[in-house]
Amino acid sequence: MYTQQAKRSSLLRYWTTRYALTLVIGLAIILIVSVLWIRHSTLENNLNLNKYMAEEIADRMENSIANDSGGPLKIFPNILEDRSKILNSKKEPSLYIVNENGKVIFSNVRSPGVINSFVSSSFFSSKDTVKKFRLDSPPYDIYVVKSAIEMENGEKGWVLVVQPEKELTEVHQEYSLLLIMIISLGLLGWGAIYFLSRKLTSPIQDVSKAAKRIEAGLYDVNLSENVPQQEMYELIHSFKEMAQKLERLESLRAELLAGVTHELKTPVTSISGLLQAVKDDVVTGEEAKEFLDISVKETSKLQNMIGDLLDFNAFTAQAIPINIETHDALDLVKEITYQWHLAQGNEALSYDINATNKSILVDVDPMRFQQIMTNLLNNAKHAMKESGHITIECSKSLTQLLITVTNNGPPISEEEQPFIFDRFFRGEKKKYEVRGLGLGLPFSQMLARAMNGDLFLQSSSNEGTLFTITLPLHTD
């Protein structure tokens, strides 16, 4: 069934566009909040200045009335001129002076009576010094600031400073500076995001290219681990180890194919040649019987190798059950070792069993345990080349049985030690001296772990090679 491939973008483009979008949204929110705050601050500042103007005009009116020095005609122009210089404003507020009855007696606007249309008498009697009014034609908001003209015999009127909200909140230079700052921050943020994203995605792109080389069967990847990020270092390091392991597994696969072919072909060829010789009467009598005995032995070896391969595959597929029972570990070790040594029929092989306890109960599958012990004993025999001494020691910790199997043969090389539990792995010397598929140790380790234990190489030196089996102790 055909499925349309989804459109994909590069990691660098994916993250930079999303980071940039997030940055733009964040800066837009900051811009809106800043504009609202600047408008509010400008409004408050201008209202405070209008309050100051109203109070100053009221004070001068009081002095002018007291001294009879000209009244508001001389006061207004000076006040407005001073305020315009301070604010650098082209638009002046509307100024009104009203008497105690609310009647306008002086103003700097042509139609002073318009103030009565929206300023009610209740405003003069209230304690509020600033009030916002809504005008209908055309609709807009206007602020009125008042300051009382007080004489010794009481209030003689009020000074009103009137100005539209639009003029009070009008800002030019601050907005331009804010816009420049926002744009600069946006460009700087996008540049930093792009640079950091590029720096982060660069090693990922290298890993992607290396993965394509591995897909093509080329395992010689060259990735630098000189990266500052811990996660990126772990990714590259793990990828390089994976590439090396894949290369080794590919080599093992090729060796396995050749090895299995050789190991199975050799006994088949031998059996075929021996039987053909008997069939053609090339050999007769006792010699023919000897040829048949050899054929039977080769057939047995062939069956063992095929059996090992089938058992390993079956266990890997979890098709072989594990039957846990409680047994005395010392009795099992003694019986298994005795039967194995008896089957060898070799006086040059000797063994000792040392135990710190008279009885150690464990939960184990006796048949699987016998397979593990037999594999270790066979490996020891092959390592010692049919002659030597094997030492088996049994002890226990708080929760585990410890069984060590030591042989005095030549050590396993340090280069091969990390791989001895890999399936189908066989040492350079062993592959030419001993027939097999390299499944004994990995199969034994799998069996031990299936019984909640383990099998590992503890040490290998000129003093001997020591394998350790751990199994759980029986708990009541």
Side-chain angles (χ1 to χ4, degrees):
M1 181 178 178
Y2 174 76
T3 56
Q4 186 177 2
Q5 186 176 3
K7 186 177 180 181
R8 295 180 176 85
S9 61
S10 66
L11 190 63
L12 178 62
R13 182 179 178 183
Y14 179 87
W15 284 117
T16 51
T17 53
R18 279 155 180 77
Y19 285 153
L21 180 61
T22 304
L23 181 65
V24 168
I25 294 174
L27 291 177
I29 294 173
I30 293 174
L31 178 63
I32 294 172
V33 172
S34 300
V35 168
L36 294 176
W37 180 79
I38 290 175
R39 284 174 57 87
H40 177 74
S41 299
T42 303
L43 175 63
E44 292 294 323
N45 291 335
N46 286 334
L47 287 176
N48 288 333
L49 287 173
N50 285 350
K51 286 181 184 179
Y52 173 76
M53 180 189 295
E55 291 172 357
E56 185 178 8
I57 292 174
D59 289 341
R60 292 191 183 187
M61 284 293 299
E62 292 169 3
N63 293 332
S64 176
I65 294 172
N67 299 327
D68 194 16
S69 57
L73 290 174
K74 293 185 177 180
I75 297 173
F76 273 130
N78 294 332
I79 293 292
L80 294 176
E81 182 180 358
D82 293 342
R83 187 180 187 277
S84 298
K85 290 180 179 179
I86 294 172
L87 299 178
N88 193 21
S89 174
K90 296 180 180 180
K91 297 180 180 180
E92 298 175 349
S94 301
L95 300 177
Y96 300 87
I97 296 178
V98 299
N99 59 18
E100 61 270 23
N101 297 322
K103 183 180 180 180
V104 179
I105 60 176
F106 187 85
S107 175
N108 67 338
V109 298
R110 291 183 179 181
S111 301
V114 72
I115 189 71
N116 295 323
S117 64
F118 58 86
V119 177
S120 59
S121 59
S122 61
F123 175 60
F124 298 113
S125 60
S126 68
K127 295 182 180 180
D128 297 330
T129 58
V130 179
K131 192 167 183 180
K132 182 179 180 180
F133 294 94
R134 180 72 176 178
L135 301 185
D136 296 329
S137 180
Y140 66 95
D141 294 326
I142 196 166
Y143 280 87
V144 179
V145 178
K146 75 174 182 178
S147 180
I149 302 172
E150 297 180 351
M151 303 300 293
E152 292 181 358
N153 55 353
E155 293 181 347
K156 293 297 181 179
W158 292 269
V159 176
L160 303 181
V161 180
V162 181
Q163 196 166 8
E165 183 181 26
K166 182 179 180 180
E167 295 179 7
L168 289 170
T169 58
E170 192 173 16
V171 180
H172 297 288
Q173 185 177 5
E174 288 82 354
Y175 287 162
S176 61
L177 290 175
L178 176 63
L179 188 61
I180 292 172
M181 182 186 70
I182 292 295
I183 293 174
S184 300
L185 286 175
L187 293 175
L188 180 63
W190 184 86
I193 288 169
Y194 180 82
F195 173 76
L196 293 175
S197 298
R198 187 178 182 86
K199 190 173 182 181
L200 178 63
T201 56
S202 179
I204 297 178
Q205 291 174 345
D206 293 340
V207 172
S208 177
K209 292 177 182 177
K212 291 181 180 179
R213 286 183 59 83
I214 292 178
E215 184 182 7
L218 303 174
Y219 301 99
D220 54 333
V221 296
N222 184 18
L223 294 174
S224 175
E225 296 184 10
N226 187 22
V227 290
Q229 300 89 0
Q230 178 66 26
E231 294 82 1
M232 195 60 63
Y233 168 79
E234 292 176 355
L235 172 64
I236 293 174
H237 183 72
S238 299
F239 189 89
K240 289 177 71 175
E241 287 190 345
M242 180 194 69
Q244 293 172 1
K245 192 165 186 178
L246 284 175
E247 183 177 16
R248 187 170 57 80
L249 288 175
E250 180 65 19
S251 176
L252 283 177
R253 186 188 67 82
E255 290 184 8
L256 168 66
L257 184 60
V260 170
T261 303
H262 172 74
E263 293 297 332
L264 297 180
K265 182 180 179 181
T266 299
V268 170
T269 303
S270 177
I271 293 169
S272 177
L274 292 170
L275 293 178
Q276 190 67 39
V278 175
K279 179 182 178 182
D280 295 340
D281 294 329
V282 176
V283 293
T284 57
E286 292 296 326
E287 191 174 8
K289 186 177 179 181
E290 183 179 355
F291 272 36
L292 291 175
D293 290 339
I294 295 173
S295 298
V296 170
K297 291 181 180 178
E298 290 296 322
T299 303
S300 178
K301 292 179 181 179
L302 184 61
Q303 288 176 334
N304 289 336
M305 284 190 288
I306 295 175
D308 289 344
L309 188 59
L310 293 175
D311 286 346
F312 183 84
N313 289 335
F315 193 82
T316 303
Q318 298 181 351
I320 297 181
I322 297 294
N323 301 312
I324 301 298
E325 302 172 1
T326 303
H327 288 271
D328 188 331
L330 299 182
D331 291 342
L332 283 177
V333 170
K334 291 176 182 178
E335 182 180 353
I336 293 169
T337 307
Y338 174 75
Q339 291 179 359
W340 174 84
H341 186 260
L342 191 64
Q344 303 307 310
N346 188 348
E347 297 295 333
L349 283 174
S350 61
Y351 69 91
D352 284 329
I353 299 177
N354 301 323
T356 57
N357 303 81
K358 293 182 178 180
S359 177
I360 304 176
L361 295 180
V362 293
D363 293 324
V364 67
D365 184 327
M367 185 177 70
R368 304 304 175 192
F369 179 66
Q370 182 176 7
Q371 287 179 280
I372 298 173
M373 287 295 300
T374 301
N375 279 329
L376 291 181
L377 293 171
N378 285 333
N379 283 348
K381 180 187 72 171
H382 296 151
M384 297 183 299
K385 298 181 180 179
E386 307 294 334
S387 65
H389 187 74
I390 301 173
T391 302
I392 302 172
E393 294 187 1
C394 300
S395 61
K396 67 177 182 179
S397 63
L398 293 176
T399 59
Q400 287 184 322
L401 163 71
L402 303 174
I403 302 173
T404 60
V405 180
T406 308
N407 67 76
N408 60 356
I412 304 171
S413 67
E414 293 184 3
E415 294 79 10
E416 295 179 353
Q417 288 183 21
F419 311 118
I420 61 173
F421 288 102
D422 289 352
R423 61 191 68 181
F424 307 116
F425 176 80
R426 302 180 69 204
E428 289 298 323
K429 295 181 179 179
K430 189 174 181 179
K431 68 173 63 174
Y432 299 113
E433 297 176 356
V434 182
R435 286 184 183 176
L437 300 177
L439 295 175
L441 285 176
F443 186 46
S444 298
Q445 187 180 63
M446 290 174 63
L447 289 174
R449 290 177 177 176
M451 294 185 290
N452 299 318
D454 203 355
L455 169 64
F456 56 90
L457 174 65
Q458 186 164 329
S459 64
S460 184
S461 63
N462 292 328
E463 297 178 358
T465 299
L466 188 152
F467 285 90
T468 298
I469 307 170
T470 63
L471 290 171
L473 294 175
H474 173 69
T475 55
D476 295 329

